[in-house]
Amino acid sequence: MSTRELHDQYLFPNYAPLQIMPSHGKGARLWDTDGREYIDFAAGIAVSALGHAHPDLVTALHEQAQKYWHVSNVMSNGPAIQLAKSLVEATFAERVFFSNSGAEANEAALKLARRFAHDHFGPQKHEIIAFENGFHGRTLFTVSVGGQPKYSEGFGPAIEGITHLPYNDISALEAAISDKTCAVMMEPLQGEGGVMPADPAFVRRARELCDQHQALLIFDEVQTGIMRTGELYAYMGLGVEPDILTSAKGLGGGMPIAATLAKEQVAASFGVGVHGSTFGGNPLACAVANKLIELVNTPQMKVQVHDLSRRLRSGLDSLNNEFSLFSEIRGAGLLLGCELAPEHAGRSRELMDLFMEQGVLALVAGDSVLRLVPPLVTTGEDLYEGLSRMTAAVKKFA
Ligand code: PLP
């Protein structure tokens, strides 16, 4: 029998998971091993785009599981080719590299940017510009590029040649970028860093400056991708195309898969043997992701996300009108952040725990922001029930 206590005995102590243990899920609802039901507005940290146990994803997984699970990159495989084709057809990109997590997709993007600059301009062009509070994963390169020092401290010298600037600060970017810059990397909406949307003028200027200095613009869409913000990828709403884009989380709906997307000329810098991954393009994960893209990338899904977003925001506004809990509710689509009012600053985890007690799973993005990322298939009933349970929690909190 696996109990929560055994987690603390056998696993590394690097997480602080909730005390409940999952039993099973369906759509936007999850049940624990004590039979309690939760409305899941955390979606496995913005991963379960189609909720839990979506029947079409279960079928896609079963069908592939009966054929073959893994061949590695010594052979190509149908599901990976099909997924790459779908991603290319749906985006600016012409080529795809598959890996297994957001951090790996970003690691590949960063290595690719450096290698491309090295190939075309020489080794002096290796500097990377990134942004404060940005989050790109936990490998040494991605914590070095991420703009939250707490994630890179204590791991020895960080990777060199990286500058962090304030997000949305056009003048700072104008001053910092140069012909030595090989890449500017940003999230089009910072997720972990507090649910902070990019200013469209800032993103447009970043594009211009990258073109001027022959630097590559990398969008980390690990959290914002797969219709999370109401567009298949958030760049589509900003009207600015990156040179490299990374996708993970929602892409597999819970299967570990990630993708690094680029134009042909950039991808060419990853020639044979330059980069790789044993599990990247795994057929099980790709089969599920193919089905997921087919279901998510539709006009109806886009309308549904915008509609759910509007209703969730209006529910949160009503809650806030009654309890004056938040100083701001921001974000896009189904990636919303509620900044706690100054008198409640630092209490986001406490509020999240109270939500859980009342049967709602939520997330935080820092000490003072509550983050809600419901599955795209959340129903009106789930939303209504979630909001009323949240109201009960807020009464206790306030
Ligand atoms: N990039 C962004 C924007 C993220 O939000 C995350 C995870 O939260 C990552 C990268 C890292 O992804 P993973 O945990 O799959 O490595």
Side-chain angles (χ1 to χ4, degrees), residues 45-47 100-106 134-139 142 185-193 220-224 246 248-249 257-258 371:
I45 321 192
V47 166
N100 316 286
S101 66
E104 279 174 86
N106 286 332
F135 184 78
H136 302 297
R138 301 298 198 113
T139 63
T142 55
M185 183 171 202
M186 68 169 83
E187 295 159 85
L189 182 160
Q190 289 186 334
E192 302 298 312
D220 175 346
E221 293 235 29
V222 166
Q223 189 152 162
T224 52
T246 56
K249 288 195 183 276
I257 179 165
R371 181 170 34 144

Side-chain angles (χ1 to χ4, degrees), residues 133 167-168 187-191 193-198 328 330-331 339:
N133 293 319
Y167 192 57
N168 282 332
E187 295 159 85
L189 182 160
Q190 289 186 334
V195 189
M196 289 299 292
E328 190 183 17
R330 57 181 182 245
E339 172 106 38

